[in-house]
Amino acid sequence: MSAHSHEIEEGLSFQPRFDAAGLVTCVATDAATGDVLMVAHMNEEALRKTIATGEAWYFSRSRNALWRKGETSGQTQRVVEMRTDCDQDAVWIRVEQIGAACHTGRRSCFYRKVEGEGGGAKLVFADAARLFDPDAVYKK
């Protein structure tokens, strides 16, 4: 193990390793239940703002834009704890979720189970009740 990787894996200096697009993956879980709410990405600015404000900020790859969770929907995330993985290329935030985490209006983005079927796979809804109408909130 090189001195650099030892510092990354065992040291106490936060040195996030951004990918070629300047992003780290972020997993958000409910601080009370442990349920996975969403997986998104953060660029350096989103990570800095999340740490500074205690609110979740992300970077949208599809819109190529920084966004604060809940800025449009009101479905906010207050960060209770942030952790990084062993090689510091991903972060995990435990949050207090206000309302739904998913833009589809559901509590979690993980509202479908993958089940095997005849050598293939199919999706089955699980915990899929909507907490809000996305068409009304996002004016689509």
Side-chain angles (χ1 to χ4, degrees), residues 6 17 19 46 51 55 73-74 76 78 84-85 97 117 120 133 136:
H6 181 76
R17 294 179 51 215
D19 67 13
I51 293 167
E55 294 183 338
S73 67
T76 60
R78 187 182 76 76
T84 189
D85 71 335
Q97 176 69 51
E117 180 179 79
D133 177 1

Side-chain angles (χ1 to χ4, degrees), residues 16-28 37-50 55-69 77 82 89-93 101 109-110:
R17 294 179 51 215
F18 298 95
D19 67 13
L23 303 173
V24 294
T25 301
C26 177
V27 177
L37 298 174
M38 57 185 279
V39 175
H41 296 88
M42 292 181 169
N43 63 3
E44 187 176 358
E45 185 179 5
L47 191 56
R48 190 174 52 245
K49 284 180 175 272
T50 298
E55 294 183 338
W57 286 78
Y58 299 103
F59 184 83
S60 169
R61 295 179 301 173
S62 61
R63 292 179 310 207
N64 195 33
L66 183 73
W67 58 284
R68 181 180 55 82
K69 181 67 177 159
Q77 292 177 340
M82 178 184 283
D89 64 356
V91 293
W92 167 29
I93 57 174
C109 294
F110 294 88

Side-chain angles (χ1 to χ4, degrees), residues 104-124:
T104 67
R106 294 174 174 96
R107 183 174 168 280
S108 167
C109 294
F110 294 88
Y111 55 88
R112 293 175 291 182
K113 294 189 294 185
V114 179
E115 293 185 351
E117 180 179 79
K122 68 175 183 174
L123 297 178
V124 177

